Amino acid sequence: MNQLFIYPVKSLKGIELDESVVTEKGLLHDRHWMIVNPKGMFITQRQFPQMALLSTHINNDYLVIANQQSGQSIEVPLVPTKPLPKCEATVWKNKCQVLQECDDVGRWLTEQLKTPWPVRLVRMAEGFTRQVDQSEKFGVGDHFVETQFADGFPFLIANQASLDELNRHLEMPVPMNRFRPNMVIEGLEPFEEHRIKSLVNESIRFDLRYPCERCIVTTVDQKLGTKHPLQEPLKTLIKLNPMPNNNNAAAFAENATVVIKNNHPLKRGEQFYFT
């Protein structure tokens, strides 16, 4: 595993790490917060590509969100320092009980993103667990997956060889940040991640559950916050590596769940066997 990332706020810029604590709901602080519109619906780079311009950083006891263009920033306590109002927010089909961060944070985000209406920053309410029904992918039976504000699974694992293969078919190569993975692995053939069941070592096992269907966010330049006018690399990826049973959609990286064997942190450079 040669790269390790978290994205503390859904759809904002991520953080590359040397190591991270692993939980069954994802890496520590990954997708711990999300931004919502006045109706409580989540927003992402799909609608607002400029979200890519806001960086995140964990600084001691605070999440720091910064605008790389304006140089302005704001801090959010990792642990609330006062009671936060409870409300409901929606991410895809899931209605979640959440806590709303202070109004100053919402005003700052609204100003930086220049949204047409006020936005709010929310975190999952203590004691609430989001369960995502993945039976459409897995078939009949009880197939609920627990995660924070990630789209549907707690982990996303990408293969460096797959990106290299995609870039061989593009006029302008793209970096891995277009695909926002948690982990990037080396040592597999291109797109071989879709044909293996798990990554295992003495501390942990990641079960690769289903290919990740890619969307328009892959066309957003993460440095400029703009979409590619010809929808690349998505158009090329659809031809190169379509989703199972859907030749009109693109797959890149694998959604995964975890079985934790001990409490050792996950470290960049860690070795895995695959099954």
Side-chain angles (χ1 to χ4, degrees):
M1 183 185 65
N2 70 345
Q3 287 182 294
L4 184 64
F5 299 94
I6 59 170
Y7 308 86
V9 182
K10 186 177 181 67
S11 228
L12 299 191
K13 198 177 296 293
I15 305 170
E16 185 168 4
L17 302 173
D18 289 326
E19 64 178 61
S20 179
V21 174
V22 180
T23 78
E24 291 182 350
K25 296 180 182 180
L27 299 179
L28 184 65
H29 301 311
D30 187 51
R31 277 85 171 192
H32 191 76
W33 290 267
M34 71 175 179
I35 301 172
V36 299
N37 68 17
K39 294 183 178 180
M41 179 65 68
F42 77 113
I43 67 170
T44 72
Q45 292 182 31
R46 297 171 181 86
Q47 309 101 321
F48 300 101
Q50 65 269 31
M51 292 176 74
L53 301 178
L54 297 187
S55 65
T56 56
H57 178 65
I58 304 293
N59 183 11
N60 297 322
D61 297 327
Y62 291 89
L63 165 73
V64 181
I65 307 174
N67 187 327
Q68 63 188 45
Q69 291 187 329
S70 70
Q72 299 181 31
S73 64
I74 196 164
E75 293 183 340
V76 180
L78 296 181
V79 178
T81 56
K82 59 182 180 180
L84 297 176
K86 194 172 185 179
C87 54
E88 188 176 81
T90 303
V91 51
W92 296 112
K93 296 180 180 179
N94 299 124
K95 292 188 180 298
C96 304
Q97 295 299 313
V98 299
L99 302 178
Q100 179 183 320
E101 302 293 350
C102 73
D103 292 340
D104 288 346
V105 175
R107 282 192 290 267
W108 187 89
L109 288 169
T110 302
E111 178 183 334
Q112 301 301 318
L113 294 174
K114 296 178 171 59
T115 52
W117 19 250
V119 299
R120 296 170 291 158
L121 184 68
V122 301
R123 69 172 81 202
M124 208 75 79
E126 186 175 354
F128 179 83
T129 297
R130 176 181 171 224
Q131 291 190 319
V132 184
D133 185 355
Q134 296 293 358
S135 57
E136 290 183 2
K137 296 180 177 66
F138 299 155
V140 297
D142 183 11
H143 293 296
F144 284 93
V145 175
E146 293 185 1
T147 185
Q148 295 283 341
F149 293 125
D151 279 352
F153 286 84
F155 303 93
L156 183 64
I157 301 177
N159 177 6
Q160 181 63 46
S162 299
L163 179 65
D164 296 341
E165 180 66 17
L166 171 61
N167 281 333
R168 280 190 278 271
H169 291 78
L170 296 173
E171 291 186 10
M172 292 291 293
V174 298
M176 186 61 83
N177 64 13
R178 294 290 185 96
F179 300 98
R180 302 175 64 80
N182 293 116
M183 289 161 274
V184 181
I185 55 175
E186 290 185 345
L188 299 177
E189 295 298 317
F191 305 112
E192 188 180 3
E193 64 273 24
H194 303 314
R195 301 188 294 274
I196 66 176
K197 293 182 179 180
S198 60
L199 298 170
V200 186
N201 65 21
E202 61 184 11
S203 299
I204 202 163
R205 185 184 85 219
F206 291 101
D207 293 324
L208 279 57
R209 307 298 298 272
Y210 203 78
C212 182
E213 182 175 338
R214 307 316 306 216
C215 69
I216 201 70
V217 171
T218 60
T219 72
V220 177
D221 187 312
Q222 297 295 302
K223 289 185 177 180
L224 301 177
T226 57
K227 293 178 181 177
H228 192 284
L230 300 179
Q231 296 190 347
E232 291 292 5
L234 187 59
K235 281 190 173 181
T236 296
L237 186 58
I238 290 172
K239 298 176 183 177
L240 184 64
N241 192 47
M243 284 289 292
N245 305 314
N246 185 358
N247 289 330
N248 296 315
F252 191 91
E254 278 282 319
N255 292 301
T257 54
V258 71
V259 175
I260 301 170
K261 301 179 182 179
N262 59 48
N263 293 324
H264 291 171
L266 182 66
K267 296 182 178 182
R268 184 166 58 87
E270 224 168 294
Q271 301 289 315
F272 288 88
Y273 301 97
F274 65 86
T275 62

